[in-house]
Amino acid sequence: MAASFGVSSAAVQAVKSSASPLPSPPVIRSEARPISGRINRSRKAGKIATHAVAARTENPASAASKTGHEVLLFEALREGLEEEMERDPRVCIFGEDVGHYGGSYKVSKGLAEKYGDLRVLDTPIAENSFTGMAVGAAMTGLRPVVEGMNMGFLLLAFNQISDNCGMLHYTSGGQFTIPTVIRGPGGVGRQLGAEHSQRLESYFQSIPGIQMVACSTPYNAKGLMKAAIRSENPVVLFEHVLLYNLKERIPDEEYVVSLEEAEMVRPGKHVTILTYSRMRYHVMQAAKTLVNKGYDPEVIDIRSLKPFDLHTIGNSIKKTHKVLIVEECMRTGGIGASLTAAINENFNDYLDAPIVCLSSQDVPTPYAGTLEEVTVVQPPQIVTAVEQLCR
């Protein structure tokens, strides 16, 4: 059962009473023009839309090409987290070493000193317990952010994430919302071994009632963090361990990124390449080679792993008529498998060739660097797949 132990009723009431009505922020688009209105317009409050709609594409680089400031991806996550803690006193952080140590990858560095130990709560090594505590805190009106030191460790909290985070809104007859963010590092690192190299997207995608997003740039990392904290739904935010030191210039002004929109990374006409997280960069490496060979691939970072942005994906398929999916997730039952099923169900008549999906091999990730590399999709494989699709 979800528990609210560790959060007194008096403290909750104090936080609630101090929270004033919060204005909706502008959404910064590729032209860097603020567009007022609610984020996630495609769904009613408290409900997850089955088919999200992308109004237009973004280009983060152009949004802050002349202004803004440079940050690493982990710093962008911290900025988003700090801005939301400043904006809303109900936001709090739970996890191992998130306090004075600053988190395993320094995402929460300095926040304990600024906001105190009750809002940035160091927990014991007990994932099931502190995730349950976060669910209970959310039920009483707080907006907790749970950090897994490694996403693989959160398998110990799977019951809380599935049976409580995902289902309590439904099983309570709508009496409770669970505005909780569950985030942390995952993916195949560099010789971190099998247990620390897991891709858990496929584990969580079948849980009813949660949303899933994967950040890939400092720009969308900050925007997705802010949007996830403001969402009334439980959101799992996947961060790749090898992308934390990625640098990019982001806007100085406040912005959020929709939880339900894909990003058009590179427009093209010959083939649609769907990817996310670290594989975005493997795809863009391959795209350079493909362009030199005369191909014009369209690259989409799907970002929203649940629900899929079928509007953006569908419009691309109607143009190119060919689809390549590139993921780091496992092949069996992975995101690519679900995406393939969704495309076949909705856009089969527009396909001129079978969908090709490149995924990691269904084996525990080896420690040896050469073997580890073989288990993950590499740019030459992407080039070969596109050449075969476009024959």
Side-chain angles (χ1 to χ4, degrees):
M1 292 293 292
S4 57
F5 52 83
V7 183
S8 69
S9 59
V12 171
Q13 289 302 320
V15 168
K16 286 182 176 178
S17 62
S18 64
S20 56
L22 303 170
S24 296
V27 179
I28 303 301
R29 302 294 187 179
S30 57
E31 299 89 346
R33 295 196 302 265
I35 301 176
S36 61
R38 297 173 63 87
I39 59 174
N40 300 341
R41 292 186 182 89
S42 59
R43 62 176 175 84
K44 297 179 180 179
K47 296 182 179 179
I48 295 180
T50 54
H51 299 288
V53 176
R56 59 171 60 188
T57 60
E58 303 175 18
N59 186 343
S62 64
S65 57
K66 296 182 179 179
T67 61
H69 57 286
E70 279 194 342
V71 292
L72 302 175
L73 190 143
F74 79 90
E75 294 171 329
L77 288 166
R78 185 199 302 148
E79 279 191 18
L81 192 52
E82 185 171 7
E83 287 177 12
E84 291 306 298
M85 294 185 75
E86 183 72 26
R87 171 183 176 273
D88 188 345
R90 297 171 296 175
V91 178
C92 52
I93 307 172
F94 296 158
E96 299 153 4
D97 288 335
V98 297
H100 296 283
Y101 184 72
S104 55
Y105 288 89
K106 303 305 178 185
V107 172
S108 57
K109 183 180 179 181
L111 299 184
E113 289 79 5
K114 183 174 182 179
Y115 296 105
D117 293 340
L118 288 180
R119 290 189 68 189
V120 186
L121 183 63
D122 273 325
T123 66
I125 303 175
E127 286 79 7
N128 190 57
S129 297
F130 67 70
T131 305
M133 182 169 66
V135 175
M139 292 172 69
T140 60
L142 301 182
R143 306 186 82 86
V145 178
V146 176
E147 175 179 310
M149 186 176 286
N150 182 281
M151 288 299 279
F153 301 161
L154 290 179
L155 290 177
L156 296 166
F158 194 87
N159 173 63
Q160 297 291 352
I161 297 169
S162 175
D163 291 350
N164 293 325
C165 265
M167 298 185 189
L168 271 172
H169 181 67
Y170 174 80
T171 56
S172 69
Q175 295 180 76
F176 297 109
T177 56
I178 315 296
T180 304
V181 180
I182 298 168
R183 53 154 296 270
V188 177
R190 289 194 175 93
Q191 294 184 268
L192 297 180
E195 293 182 358
H196 289 72
S197 302
Q198 297 192 69
R199 290 126 291 176
L200 301 182
E201 303 95 304
S202 60
Y203 286 63
F204 295 117
Q205 69 170 326
S206 60
I207 299 174
I210 67 168
Q211 291 185 263
M212 297 183 359
V213 290
C215 61
S216 54
T217 69
Y219 178 87
N220 66 40
K222 178 178 178 179
L224 290 172
M225 172 71 86
K226 292 171 69 70
I229 291 172
R230 298 183 189 191
S231 175
E232 295 302 316
N233 297 312
V235 179
V236 180
L237 172 59
F238 290 97
E239 304 156 15
H240 200 286
V241 67
L242 291 183
L243 298 184
Y244 279 126
N245 288 325
L246 192 70
K247 183 181 286 189
E248 184 183 33
R249 185 174 294 275
I250 65 174
D252 291 327
E253 57 270 9
E254 184 182 28
Y255 68 92
V256 295
V257 172
S258 173
L259 296 174
E260 298 170 356
E261 291 184 8
E263 178 189 345
M264 180 67 68
V265 180
R266 184 191 188 279
K269 60 185 179 181
H270 289 154
V271 59
T272 297
I273 305 180
L274 304 174
T275 189
Y276 65 93
S277 190
R278 177 196 176 198
M279 287 296 107
R280 167 177 174 152
Y281 299 95
H282 282 209
V283 168
M284 292 308 293
Q285 278 184 264
K288 295 177 182 178
T289 303
L290 289 167
V291 169
N292 291 335
K293 292 189 173 188
Y295 297 99
D296 187 14
E298 180 152 291
V299 180
I300 296 175
D301 183 342
I302 63 173
R303 275 195 323 211
S304 176
L305 307 185
K306 184 182 180 183
F308 296 130
D309 178 3
L310 294 178
H311 177 83
T312 300
I313 293 169
N315 284 343
S316 179
I317 293 170
K318 291 172 185 178
K319 177 172 61 174
T320 67
H321 308 290
K322 299 178 182 68
V323 179
L324 171 64
I325 300 170
V326 181
E327 62 176 347
E328 194 178 83
C329 195
M330 299 299 185
R331 182 170 185 81
T332 302
I335 296 297
S338 295
L339 191 53
T340 298
I343 293 170
N344 277 325
E345 182 179 344
N346 291 278
F347 308 109
N348 185 64
D349 290 345
Y350 297 96
L351 294 173
D352 289 344
I355 299 169
V356 176
C357 183
L358 299 179
S359 311
S360 292
Q361 296 187 32
D362 289 334
V363 296
T365 304
Y367 173 77
T370 51
L371 296 178
E372 178 185 72
E373 185 174 322
V374 170
T375 66
V376 178
V377 179
Q378 301 298 327
Q381 295 172 263
I382 301 169
V383 172
T384 300
V386 170
E387 289 175 331
Q388 292 175 347
L389 259 176
C390 295
R391 282 177 181 171

